[in-house]
Amino acid sequence: MKDLLKKYWHIWALGYGFIYLPWFLYLERTVVRDYTVMHVRLDDYIPFNEYFIVPYLLWFIYVAGAVLYFFFTSRQEYYRLCIFLFTGMTASLLICTFFPNGTDLRVTVDPQQNFCSFLVSLVHSADTSTNVFPSIHAYNSLGVHAAVMNSAALQSRRGVRRGSFLLMVAICLSTVFLKQHSAIDVMGAMVLAYMVYSFVYGENYARSKRPVRRKALG
C-alpha cells in the first residue's frame, strides 16, 4: 500500500472536487431568480435536436477518461490537464457567484417520444438552467483536446487526435442544440480556454519540449 501511494501520490490533485462540487451545488440552490439571462440572436436560429444528448453525455467519459489516461501515463501532462480544467472551473464558479446568470432557452421535451428525449428529460430534471456562463461542458472539452494535442505519447496517434477533435466539436455543438447553453456561453468558454491555454501550454511549455543541445567539446 505504501508503494502504491508513493507511485500515485499525484491523486491529491483530484481533491479539487471537494471544493468544486459543494460550491457548484450551492450556486444551483441559490441562483434561482434575479439573474442575467444569457441569450443572443444566434440562439433563435439554432433548432433543438434531442440526438445531441449522445455527445453531451459522452462528455463525462471524455473528460474522466482523459484525466485517468494521463494519471497513469504521464504525471506532468496529468498536472497540466488538471491545471487547465480546474483553473477554468474555478473561474466559472467565480463568474457565476458575482454575475448570476442563466438561460431561457429550454424547450418542453416529451420523454416518451424516443430514448434520446427521455435522456434529455433526465438531464433537465437533474440540472437547472442557471450558472451557464461560461459553458463548462465546452471549456473542459477544449481543455481535454488541448491535452491530447500536446501529449508526446499521442503525437503519432492520428486517429485518437482526430477523434478527440470531432468529439470536442460535437460536445460544444450539443450544448446549444440541446438548448442547455446560449451560443455566448460557448464563446465565453472559448475565450477563457484561449487565455488559460497560453498559461498552461505557452512559450515556457514549448521551450521545455525542445531537445537540449549539448555544446560541442573543444
Side-chain angles (χ1 to χ4, degrees):
M1 180 61 72
K2 184 178 180 180
D3 292 338
L4 191 63
L5 290 175
K6 184 177 181 180
K7 183 178 181 180
Y8 297 118
W9 64 271
H10 49 293
I11 196 173
W12 69 266
L14 299 184
Y16 173 77
F18 293 104
I19 298 174
Y20 179 81
L21 285 176
W23 192 349
F24 176 75
L25 292 175
Y26 169 77
L27 291 175
E28 288 284 274
R29 292 195 308 269
T30 57
V31 181
V32 294
R33 62 175 68 89
D34 299 327
Y35 54 79
T36 300
V37 175
M38 311 305 291
H39 190 147
V40 294
R41 185 174 298 180
L42 177 60
D43 297 323
D44 301 326
Y45 295 96
I46 301 174
F48 171 80
N49 188 314
E50 71 272 19
Y51 296 107
F52 273 95
I53 192 65
V54 176
Y56 188 84
L57 294 179
L58 283 176
W59 174 83
F60 294 95
I61 298 175
Y62 185 50
V63 175
V67 171
L68 287 175
Y69 171 77
F70 291 115
F71 177 84
F72 288 110
T73 60
S74 172
R75 186 177 300 178
Q76 181 184 30
E77 292 178 349
Y78 160 80
Y79 276 136
R80 290 190 181 277
L81 175 58
C82 287
I83 291 172
F84 196 111
L85 299 182
F86 301 162
T87 300
M89 291 163 71
T90 302
S92 175
L93 291 175
L94 287 170
I95 291 171
C96 293
T97 298
F98 296 103
F99 176 64
N101 57 79
T103 69
D104 59 355
L105 298 171
R106 284 189 178 180
V107 299
T108 302
V109 179
D110 180 6
Q112 297 183 347
Q113 181 176 343
N114 54 50
F115 183 63
C116 287
S117 294
F118 171 71
L119 292 177
V120 173
S121 68
L122 289 181
V123 170
H124 284 182
S125 65
D127 186 24
T128 71
S129 58
T130 57
N131 308 306
V132 295
F133 180 87
S135 167
I136 288 300
H137 248 69
Y139 175 85
N140 280 1
S141 298
L142 290 164
V144 167
H145 184 61
V148 169
M149 296 302 292
N150 283 280
S151 169
L154 297 177
Q155 288 297 311
S156 61
R157 303 294 295 273
R158 189 172 300 177
V160 173
R161 290 156 64 92
R162 288 179 177 175
S164 174
F165 174 77
L166 292 175
L167 183 54
M168 179 269 291
V169 171
I171 291 172
C172 291
L173 289 176
S174 74
T175 64
V176 293
F177 277 96
L178 291 176
K179 300 300 180 178
Q180 287 289 101
H181 286 277
S182 165
I184 198 171
D185 300 335
V186 178
M187 295 176 191
M190 293 173 68
V191 171
L192 180 59
Y194 176 81
M195 295 169 61
V196 177
Y197 183 92
S198 300
F199 170 71
V200 177
Y201 298 107
E203 181 60 27
N204 291 334
Y205 175 74
R207 190 159 43 237
S208 70
K209 294 182 69 176
R210 294 171 188 162
V212 177
R213 296 182 179 178
R214 296 182 178 178
K215 294 182 180 181
L217 298 176

